[in-house]
Amino acid sequence: MQLMTNDKLRLVYNDTGKVGQPTIILIAGYSGIKEEWLLIQKKLTTQGWRVITFDCRNHGASSHGATGLRISRLAMDLANLMQKLSVTSAILLGHSMGASIIWSYISLFGTAKIIKIITIDQSPKALNTDDWHFGAFDITYKNLALKADMILTTSLTAQRVDETMWDLLKERHRCHPFNQQQTHPLLENHLVQDWRDVVMTIKIPHLMLLGGKSMIWGNKFNQYCQEKYQNNSTQVIILKESGHLPHLEEPLNFMAQVIAFINE
């Protein structure tokens, strides 16, 4: 299925489960595709949820080009998708850059249509500065242009991904190649965002799932999140054996945590 965004770009999506039922929207990270969610999509659908997955612009089967390569535009794409599919009460789940899209959506549109959010292994501020030492690797404003692509050249998993799933993802990427050079402006835009004020003021339930062996953020960031963000609305859970891709590395544990949270 597909929709046309309000800036005339085609997004491809899947919509499973019964329309009108509680809705959960799953958002992949930078270079990620909707097929990453197949296992949890099936599990949530069998439990009565309506589940929507989609490929962001310049990702997967959606349109590729040089326009709108910024997080705020991807948040608008999410809003366009929700409007087209008449979603008025949703849980948003985003991995990595997908979390940034969620925080941007909340900053732009508020939480009137959102009942809960789940963010996966993403710092609210991705660059390291004098007042923030929990960014990606050692990337700063000064070396951003040179080091941003470390995100794609570093092995991001601590556990072996299921071979069948890995083969499926490789096949889908062969069908719809990811153009790293063309999409690089989106990566840089993602990395320069600072969502700390948004995260601190979220009033709806927020689950932060973090990889205990994440190559991008590290244990000091995990400890900071538990101390700083864990409160009445935000719950921080560390999946100890996962790297940056817990939904692919520990799918059963990941699904158990997500289902427990959405059923609370």
Side-chain angles (χ1 to χ4, degrees):
M1 294 176 278
Q2 61 185 34
L3 67 91
M4 193 69 68
T5 64
N6 65 344
D7 66 341
K8 309 303 179 186
L9 187 143
R10 179 177 57 87
L11 293 184
V12 174
Y13 67 92
N14 288 331
D15 185 0
T16 58
K18 296 181 180 179
V19 175
Q21 294 302 307
T23 301
I24 182 166
I25 302 176
L26 310 176
I27 311 167
Y30 183 76
S31 81
I33 54 178
K34 61 185 179 301
E35 284 77 13
E36 293 180 12
W37 305 113
L38 281 176
L39 292 178
I40 190 168
Q41 180 181 1
K42 292 177 181 178
K43 181 70 173 180
L44 292 173
T45 301
T46 61
Q47 295 205 352
W49 286 83
R50 179 191 184 190
V51 183
I52 298 169
T53 62
F54 68 101
D55 288 328
C56 292
R57 59 177 63 207
N58 273 42
H59 291 69
S62 291
S63 293
H64 292 236
T67 61
L69 297 180
R70 61 187 65 87
I71 295 299
S72 58
R73 178 62 250 188
L74 270 61
M76 177 61 80
D77 292 345
L78 173 60
N80 288 170
L81 178 69
M82 292 172 65
Q83 181 177 20
K84 176 180 174 61
L85 300 181
S86 301
V87 176
T88 59
S89 180
I91 291 177
L92 301 181
L93 184 155
H95 168 247
S96 193
M97 187 185 74
S100 193
I101 295 170
I102 291 173
W103 293 326
S104 180
Y105 176 94
I106 291 174
S107 178
L108 291 169
F109 303 105
T111 57
K113 295 183 178 180
I114 312 301
I115 55 176
K116 295 181 181 181
I117 64 171
I118 303 169
T119 57
I120 306 166
D121 207 54
Q122 177 60 44
S123 171
K125 180 177 168 65
L127 289 189
N128 297 283
T129 56
D130 290 341
D131 69 333
W132 183 257
H133 306 289
F134 308 108
F137 303 116
D138 60 346
I139 303 177
T140 66
Y141 283 105
K142 290 183 179 180
N143 64 26
L144 174 61
L146 292 174
K147 293 200 171 186
D149 286 332
M150 289 177 64
I151 302 295
L152 290 182
T153 58
T154 301
S155 176
L156 298 178
T157 57
Q159 301 297 321
R160 186 178 180 87
V161 176
D162 176 77
E163 189 172 342
T164 301
M165 171 60 75
W166 195 246
D167 288 343
L168 170 64
L169 294 177
K170 287 194 295 185
E171 187 275 332
R172 298 310 299 163
H173 278 292
R174 281 194 295 267
C175 292
H176 305 286
F178 180 73
N179 189 324
Q180 181 177 346
Q181 182 177 2
Q182 184 182 61
T183 314
H184 185 85
L186 175 61
L187 176 59
E188 288 201 4
N189 183 260
H190 163 49
L191 291 174
V192 300
Q193 303 300 320
D194 185 350
W195 303 113
R196 288 178 294 177
D197 62 318
V198 177
V199 173
M200 290 297 293
T201 56
I202 290 173
K203 296 295 190 291
I204 60 174
H206 177 193
L207 172 62
M208 299 183 75
L209 283 175
L210 308 175
K213 298 180 179 180
S214 178
M215 297 73 180
I216 296 182
W217 315 114
N219 286 330
K220 289 184 179 179
F221 169 68
N222 293 347
Q223 295 168 8
Y224 176 89
C225 288
Q226 288 183 317
E227 295 171 3
K228 187 72 173 181
Y229 295 129
Q230 185 128 302
N231 53 47
N232 291 333
S233 60
T234 301
Q235 180 181 1
V236 178
I237 294 178
I238 298 173
L239 299 181
K240 296 181 180 180
E241 300 305 316
S242 287
H244 185 56
L245 303 167
H247 56 300
L248 296 177
E249 299 176 67
E250 292 187 80
L252 295 181
N253 189 13
F254 174 83
M255 284 191 287
Q257 300 293 347
V258 168
I259 290 170
F261 176 73
I262 65 178
N263 287 333
E264 285 179 354

